[in-house]
């Protein structure tokens, strides 16, 4: 396995906390019941990965999560021959293990991977549900329960990093966005341990920062970063310092933009 590939494996476990925003749970369950692949679209930090972990646990299926990047190759997903104890042995990659075991394989930010990765996915995303492995001569039929899930942030990708229509049209697609304010307050309070009344101004500030996306900021603040700020405050850090560290500094390196954002913080918190 290429060391640059980031892979997490989880067995079926208790479902992590997740608040449904629409009918995404029912759609995902229907896709799982009918062996349909799913594409999740939405901004960074809006809950896509948490949703997949929640659904895999709800369905009682192991989950293989692959953080895609521009060095990720098809071999990283499928597997490769490695030298062990003086002999060459084949070692399955995470996609192959998921196919064999009937697990959920989640490719996070799939458009960041090399183009050969999407080609490998094609026979798994139609009625064949097979994974050909050229190096071993195998053609693995997906075990019952196997499900392919991929995600990306369409607002962040440039023209060179988009999914081809021939790939997109192999997936059901679910669009995600940041939760409504009251739901986000509940999520942040639950994750950070900070009282909901103290969380509300953080969420209100988050909404104002998101409104600046495409103007002063490339990306709005994520729910994840709001949780970070609330966690720091719950641990006793002063609000202004926690907000600066968790919700301002991660968004920009431009000194003038940071000053403007800090003025916005003052307007919200007084």
């Amino acid at each position: 396995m290429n060391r640059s590939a980031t892979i997490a494996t989880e067995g079926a476990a208790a479902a992590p906390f997740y608040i449904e925003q629409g009918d995404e749970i029912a759609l995902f369950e229907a896709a799982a019941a009918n062996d349909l692949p799913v594409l999740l679209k939405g901004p960074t930090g809006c809950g896509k990965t948490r949703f997949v972990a929640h659904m895999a646990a709800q369905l009682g299926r192991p989950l293989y999560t692959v953080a895609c990047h521009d060095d990720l190759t098809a071999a990283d997903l499928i597997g490769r021959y490695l030298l062990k104890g003086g002999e060459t042995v084949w070692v399955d990659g995470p996609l192959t293990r998921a196919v064999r075991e009937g697990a959920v394989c989640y490719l996070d930010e799939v458009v960041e991977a090399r183009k050969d990765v999407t080609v490998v996915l094609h026979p798994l995303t139609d009625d064949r549900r097979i994974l050909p492995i050229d190096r071993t001569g195998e053609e693995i039929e997906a075990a019952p329960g196997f499900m392919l899930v991929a995600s990306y942030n369409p607002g962040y990708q440039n023209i060179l990093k988009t999914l081809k229509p021939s790939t997109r049209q192999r997936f059901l697609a679910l669009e995600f966005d940041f939760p409504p304010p009251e739901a986000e307050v509940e999520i942040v309070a639950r994750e950070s341990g900070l009282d909901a009344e103290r969380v509300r101004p953080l969420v209100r500030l988050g909404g104002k920062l998101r409104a600046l996306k495409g103007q002063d900021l490339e990306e709005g603040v994520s729910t994840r970063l709001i949780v970070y700020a609330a966690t720091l405050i719950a641990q006793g850090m002063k609000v202004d310092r926690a907000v600066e560290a968790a919700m301002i500094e991660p968004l920009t390196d431009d000194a003038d933009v940071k000053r403007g954002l800090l003025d916005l913080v003052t307007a919200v918190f007084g």
Side-chain angles (χ1 to χ4, degrees):
M1 184 68 209
N2 188 327
R3 290 187 178 184
S4 64
T6 303
I7 298 170
T9 308
E10 303 170 26
F17 178 67
Y18 178 79
I19 296 179
E20 186 173 20
Q21 305 304 315
D23 61 355
E24 66 269 25
I25 288 178
L27 279 167
F28 194 97
E29 288 174 339
N34 291 278
D35 296 332
L36 303 176
V38 173
L39 179 65
L40 309 180
K41 306 187 297 179
T44 300
C46 71
K48 301 187 296 296
T49 300
R50 173 62 66 93
F51 172 69
V52 176
H54 176 86
M55 293 308 304
Q58 288 281 79
L59 294 169
R61 301 181 190 179
L63 171 64
Y64 289 87
T65 297
V66 181
C68 298
H69 50 77
D70 55 12
D71 286 329
L72 187 75
T73 66
D76 291 325
L77 290 181
I78 294 174
R80 51 170 48 91
Y81 283 104
L82 297 176
L83 190 63
K84 288 189 175 182
E87 62 177 324
T88 302
V89 297
W90 174 262
V91 178
D92 284 343
L95 177 61
T96 304
R97 295 199 295 271
V99 169
R100 292 191 197 275
E101 297 171 16
V104 177
C105 184
Y106 173 48
L107 306 180
D108 187 16
E109 294 297 341
V110 66
V111 295
E112 297 294 336
R114 293 184 181 181
K115 296 300 182 183
D116 64 331
V117 168
T118 56
V119 174
V120 167
L121 303 179
H122 284 188
L124 284 169
T125 53
D126 57 31
D127 56 2
R128 291 173 291 173
R129 282 175 58 83
I130 59 171
L131 178 63
I133 304 180
D134 293 338
R135 292 193 177 185
T136 64
E138 288 183 273
E139 188 173 273
I140 307 171
E141 185 175 345
F146 169 74
M147 186 175 186
L148 183 64
V149 183
S151 73
Y152 78 109
N153 177 357
Y156 186 69
Q157 310 306 330
N158 62 39
I159 192 65
L160 298 178
K161 289 190 174 182
T162 58
L163 285 178
K164 292 182 179 179
S166 59
T167 299
R168 290 167 60 99
Q169 293 190 33
R170 291 173 177 271
F171 290 82
L172 290 179
L174 295 175
E175 187 165 6
F176 281 69
D177 204 344
F178 296 110
E182 280 307 307
E184 192 162 40
V185 167
E186 183 179 351
I187 291 167
V188 174
R190 171 73 176 263
E191 295 291 313
S192 67
L194 188 66
D195 181 81
E197 288 306 310
R198 299 183 71 191
V199 167
R200 282 196 174 84
L202 294 174
V203 170
R204 188 162 63 251
L205 173 62
K208 292 183 180 298
L209 292 172
R210 288 166 190 161
L212 297 175
K213 179 181 176 181
Q215 301 175 37
D216 293 330
L217 299 176
E218 287 186 6
E219 281 286 301
V221 69
S222 66
T223 300
R224 182 188 301 121
L225 287 179
I226 300 176
V227 170
Y228 289 172
T231 300
L232 293 176
I233 295 167
Q235 293 299 309
M237 184 172 289
K238 291 183 178 180
V239 172
D240 57 350
R241 185 67 185 108
V243 168
E244 182 180 7
M247 298 177 66
I248 303 301
E249 288 291 347
L251 296 183
T252 182
D253 295 322
D254 186 290
D256 290 335
V257 172
K258 279 193 282 189
R259 279 193 291 271
L261 298 183
L262 290 171
D263 288 343
L264 186 59
V265 173
T266 300
V268 170
F269 286 91

